Each structure stands twice: as C-alpha cells, then as structure tokens.
Amino acid sequence: MDHICPICQTNNNQMAIDFAIEEFICSHCDKLITVGKTTASKTIKKPVENVVLEVGRKGILYGTEYWVMNIVIKKYGSDTFWREYALKDKAGNNIFLSESDGHWVVLCPVDFAFKEYKYYAEANGKNYRWYETTPCSIYAATGFFEDKLQFGLATYKEYVNGAEMISREEYGASKEFFNGKHISRSEIRKAFGIKELPYRTGIGIVQPFAYNVRQSTNIMAVTALLICLLQLYVVTSRSNQTVFEQNINFAEVNDKEMVSKSFTLSGGSAPLKIHAFSDVDNSWANVGVSLVNEKTNEVISASKDIERYSGFEDGESWSEGSKSEDFNICGIPGGTYHFLISAEKEGGVADPFKSGFRPEKGGFSIIQNETGTFFLQNDKDKSISSYTDKQALKNTIIEKTGLLNTPKEMGKLDSILINMVPDYGYPSKYEQNASVKIKAIWLPVSFWNFAIVLICLVLFAGLSYLAKRIFETNKWKNSSNSPYPSTN
C-alpha cells in the first residue's frame, strides 16, 4: 500500500497489508491528506510522549497477526491524555489498544447497541455499572484512517464489570460501540517484542485483582473441610496410648544408659508426652530421654531437671519446685521406637557393697550397719538378704564358699566380721529418692495445630476480601457512580 504525500512527496509505504483508507497523515511532514486530493487539510501534532508502538508494526495477539494502522492521542480537560492504537489483521478485522497511566485495554467494535439505563448497561446477559462519561478531543495523531478524523468534541461513556467493560463513543449523530477487557503489560511486551512500556500508576479501569478471591475462598473452604474430616477421623480412631512406664533405680543407670523395650506407634504424627517423677526433697534429679526410630536410626533427645526445695524462714514456711515434671517431644510419626534413658541425682549413687567383705569365689558381698545387722548381696541378681544372727551368716558363708569349719578359719572369719566398719544409715539413706518413674504417653493429634490451620485459612479469606475491597474502592474513586461510599 503506497501513499505519496502531495506536499513533501514522501512515499508513506509503511503497511504490509492493503486496505482502503480515506485519510492519512504523512510520516514526514505531518500533514493530514485526504486520498485523491493534492492539498493538505491541516498539520497534525505527532504522537510522541509515552508512545511505544509505531505505525506499521506487527504483533500477535490471541494467535492473530495485527498491524498498527494509526495512533491517536486523546485529551480530556487540560492535562489528561490517553493513547489509542488501531490494529488490523489480514482479514480486515479491527481492534484497538487503549493505554492510560500504563494500564492497557483491548477494545473490539461490536455491531449492536447495548441497552443503556441510568446507572448501568446490559450486554451479552451481563450488567455493567456506569463508570464515567468523558468528553474528549484528538490531541495528536499519525497513520492511516479508514474514515475521516473528527477533531471536534466526542463523548465516551464507559460501563465496567470486573475486568471487562463496554463503551459508547459518540460524535454528533455518529455512535460506535465497543467491548473491552484488561490486557496485561507482559502480553503487550510479548505480542510486539518491546521492552519499555509507560510507567504504571494507580489502578486501571478494568484491572483485575491479583487473584480470584471467590475461587481462592472456595479452595480454602474445601481444604478446611478436608482438614476437619481428617482431624475427626484421627480423634475418633485413637485415644491416649501409654507406650512406656517404668520405675528406674538411679543405681541401674549410673554412668550408663538403659535401653527400653521396643514399642510401635500407629497413626498420624502426634506429640509424645513424657512424665517424670522422683521423690526429691531439698535436692534435685535429672532425667535424659532419647527416642530412637528403629527404621531410620533418627534420635530425638530431651532432658529435664526435677527439683524441690522447702524450708522455714522468718517464722514462715516456704517451698518451690515440684517432684514431677512433664515435657513433650512433638510431631512424632508412626513407627517402631525405643528409649535410651539416663538419670542422676544430687550426691550421685554410691554402692556400699563395693567396699564390703567379698570372700573368694563367693559371688557375694557383705556389709554391716550401725545396729549390728549384716546384709549379703548376691552379685548375680543383686538380691539382698539380712542377718541379725552372726552364726546364721557364718553358716551361709561356709555353704556358699566351701570354707572349712575349723577353729582357725572360723577365727579369721570372726575377726573380719567383728572389725567390719559399719555403714551408718544403711539401708534407709540409700532407699531415699532411689528411683525415678518415667511414663510416656502418645497423645492424639493436637487440636491446637488444627486450630492454627483453620485460623490461618479464615484470616486469609478475610484479608483477601478486605484487600479486594480496598483495591476496588481505589479503582472506582474517579467514578461518579462508585458502588463504595466515600469516607470523606
């Protein structure tokens, strides 16, 4: 398509497609030329500011190739401008790209007049709310035009429904109707291969919210329902389960760990509650518990101090601490486990039989307390027998060791038993706070975790509706028919 300017003789050959035009603006001298005439109507201001496309540029929108036919900058009032790019495809179909404050709308002409009422219009079964009626005129233009340019005052009336709009352009007795929708900046960049676009400010007339709030809320509601059903199943299918309970003597875990029997946890992840009790009195004890996953060998360790102190001061009694402590190992999944347990108490654990009398090949030890009572401990099973009759003890020693019952041997044994240093306070002082009781309970899934998830879902939905309302309020603040009451 060649159009030679009769004024400057420039060949305006910028279009790759051919279509009939009535006027064009010379790209060189900016004169408005009517096809078939040798004179210019007027000089037209060239579109420059924030214009990112040029006449003749090709782009692909929604799978169709379009070429830019013309560019028109329209003006409202003294300082409000927006840009309109007219596009045409090879089949002769026209669409328009309108850009204002960096927001883009693609507009398609429609061949019917939609129904208009006082504050809304109806088209394609949808109601569109009246946004604004804007009088405007052409400020600058360039390109090829199928109809004569109208430089007088035209009127746009726009109706909006979410990210869609319909509009009516009226100039004198002529009326044109359009259907428009939001198009993202990334789509414009991709379609025309451009990098720089006008800076975006404010909220566009059909700019959508960042995400679909109603759809997201529905997803959150379904998620909450599934979580409720899962929580209900877990709660009804399992109660508190005691997996371990045992009294452990401090002497049994002195300088070593006790390995518990294996136990199996079945079901979803849940806290494992550890209860520890020791009869401390103005003293302390410490318990260390390690949970071992027998499949993965993963170890989770925890320890707890048990302490209780009391006294009498300034005429008043006081106490602090407790003889029992509880703590949780959280988020334990199903599987097979065992415990490694260590414990100690204030003052440590002494074994009085280590310093007692040990006959050769006897397999036992003997001590005496301050009352004259003797105590014999079997090395094998740690059982203890007491003797108040020395002769009965001697008979047991002879029986267990095979010692000859001769005056010489009996004299030596009497000397040992007579000269034995008493262990004062045995056995009472060793029996005081001699053990710690440990009980492990696998709890049902925590309602607190369940509540946190539901609270987060409700907060997300509530904040989403609040954010969208603020977004829509700002979008409609320039409208004379905002559905959101002004707070001013």
Side-chain angles (χ1 to χ4, degrees):
M1 182 175 68
D2 296 335
H3 293 283
I4 299 175
C5 176
I7 308 302
C8 66
Q9 302 302 310
T10 298
N11 186 359
N12 290 267
N13 184 14
Q14 298 171 297
M15 298 299 295
I17 57 175
D18 193 15
F19 56 93
I21 66 170
E22 190 163 338
E23 292 181 332
F24 70 93
I25 298 174
C26 179
S27 60
H28 178 69
C29 66
D30 301 325
K31 299 294 185 180
L32 177 61
I33 308 297
T34 301
V35 175
K37 292 187 178 182
T38 58
T39 59
S41 300
K42 60 172 70 176
T43 300
I44 307 300
K45 184 176 178 65
K46 180 176 290 187
V48 176
E49 187 176 357
N50 285 333
V51 174
V52 294
L53 301 177
E54 64 275 1
V55 174
R57 187 170 190 129
K58 183 181 76 171
I60 300 177
L61 284 172
Y62 312 118
T64 301
E65 288 184 332
Y66 291 95
W67 283 262
V68 179
M69 290 194 302
N70 59 65
I71 305 167
V72 177
I73 297 181
K74 295 189 175 180
K75 179 181 179 181
Y76 164 64
S78 60
D79 57 0
T80 302
F81 302 88
W82 69 92
R83 285 143 292 280
E84 291 185 356
Y85 302 87
L87 311 180
K88 183 180 282 290
D89 65 11
K90 288 182 178 180
N93 300 308
N94 294 340
I95 63 171
F96 298 85
L97 287 176
S98 176
E99 177 270 315
S100 176
D101 294 328
H103 301 278
W104 293 79
V105 179
V106 58
L107 294 158
C108 299
V110 294
D111 56 2
F112 61 90
F114 43 77
K115 296 179 181 179
E116 294 183 76
Y117 302 92
K118 185 175 182 180
Y119 293 113
Y120 71 97
E122 183 182 347
N124 299 320
K126 292 182 180 179
N127 286 337
Y128 295 78
R129 188 180 184 91
W130 172 53
Y131 188 88
E132 194 57 88
T133 300
T134 307
C136 64
S137 59
I138 294 176
Y139 173 76
T142 189
F144 303 91
F145 300 89
E146 296 177 289
D147 299 306
K148 282 186 175 293
L149 278 174
Q150 307 294 340
F151 289 92
L153 197 64
T155 302
Y156 276 87
K157 192 168 186 180
E158 299 162 320
Y159 301 87
V160 173
N161 182 328
E164 297 182 16
M165 65 179 294
I166 55 177
S167 66
R168 170 173 55 82
E169 182 180 0
E170 185 174 358
Y171 181 81
S174 173
K175 293 182 181 180
E176 290 185 277
F177 298 87
F178 300 89
N179 185 301
K181 64 179 180 179
H182 169 82
I183 182 170
S184 68
R185 292 160 59 87
S186 61
E187 289 179 281
I188 297 295
R189 288 194 185 97
K190 183 179 179 181
F192 294 95
I194 55 178
K195 295 181 179 179
E196 299 298 328
L197 292 177
Y199 183 72
R200 184 170 60 185
T201 59
I203 299 174
I205 186 173
V206 286
Q207 180 181 343
F209 190 58
Y211 55 91
N212 189 314
V213 174
R214 177 173 294 180
Q215 187 179 69
S216 298
T217 303
N218 290 340
I219 293 173
M220 295 298 102
V222 172
T223 302
L225 177 61
L226 292 176
I227 292 174
C228 290
L229 293 176
L230 178 61
Q231 181 75 9
L232 179 63
Y233 168 75
V234 171
V235 170
T236 56
S237 63
R238 201 185 79 212
S239 58
N240 291 4
Q241 177 185 355
T242 300
V243 297
F244 177 83
E245 186 173 10
Q246 187 172 334
N247 278 319
I248 300 170
N249 292 324
F250 288 105
E252 295 176 359
V253 290
N254 187 30
D255 298 327
K256 62 182 179 180
E257 290 183 317
M258 186 198 83
V259 181
S260 75
K261 293 181 179 180
S262 298
F263 54 87
T264 300
L265 307 179
S266 300
S269 297
L272 188 63
K273 180 180 179 180
I274 309 296
H275 173 80
F277 171 85
S278 184
D279 191 21
V280 291
D281 186 13
N282 284 319
S283 61
W284 60 264
N286 176 271
V287 176
V289 177
S290 295
L291 180 68
V292 181
N293 187 316
E294 296 186 354
K295 181 178 180 180
T296 64
N297 290 323
E298 180 183 2
V299 179
I300 302 175
S301 300
S303 65
K304 196 72 174 179
D305 289 328
I306 307 170
E307 49 189 349
R308 186 180 185 280
Y309 296 93
S310 62
F312 194 83
E313 186 176 356
D314 296 331
E316 295 183 358
S317 61
W318 60 270
S319 65
E320 61 181 11
S322 174
K323 293 186 178 184
S324 64
E325 293 289 346
D326 294 331
F327 58 97
N328 289 341
I329 302 177
C330 298
I332 305 302
T336 302
Y337 297 86
H338 66 263
F339 284 122
L340 299 177
I341 300 172
S342 61
E344 60 178 335
K345 68 176 182 176
E346 185 176 7
V349 179
D351 184 359
F353 290 94
K354 286 186 177 181
S355 59
F357 167 53
R358 293 182 57 80
E360 292 185 9
K361 301 179 182 180
F364 59 89
S365 300
I366 299 171
I367 62 171
Q368 182 187 29
N369 67 8
E370 74 278 10
T371 67
T373 302
F374 292 92
F375 300 89
L376 183 150
Q377 183 188 66
N378 189 305
D379 292 345
K380 185 175 181 180
D381 59 11
K382 302 299 181 182
S383 60
I384 298 174
S385 303
S386 61
Y387 297 86
T388 56
D389 183 358
K390 186 185 295 184
Q391 186 58 48
L393 174 62
K394 290 166 62 176
N395 292 337
T396 300
I397 294 173
I398 292 172
E399 179 184 347
K400 288 181 175 291
T401 63
L403 184 68
L404 296 176
N405 189 1
T406 64
K408 181 180 180 180
E409 295 297 332
M410 291 300 101
K412 290 180 180 180
L413 181 58
D414 284 336
S415 176
I416 291 171
L417 297 177
I418 292 172
N419 295 314
M420 187 175 293
V421 178
D423 192 318
Y424 290 90
Y426 183 87
S428 59
K429 72 174 183 178
Y430 294 96
E431 292 174 347
Q432 181 180 3
N433 189 27
S435 65
V436 58
K437 180 180 180 180
I438 297 177
K439 183 177 182 179
I441 303 172
W442 199 36
L443 304 176
V445 174
S446 172
F447 274 100
W448 179 239
N449 294 336
F450 164 72
I452 288 176
V453 173
L454 291 186
I455 290 171
C456 288
L457 294 180
V458 172
L459 282 176
F460 175 82
L463 291 175
S464 293
Y465 276 101
L466 177 61
K468 186 176 181 183
R469 182 177 179 86
I470 294 173
F471 175 87
E472 293 291 338
T473 301
N474 288 330
K475 184 164 88 169
W476 282 84
K477 69 180 181 181
N478 293 324
S479 170
S480 302
N481 186 36
S482 173
Y484 305 98
S486 174
T487 57
N488 295 333

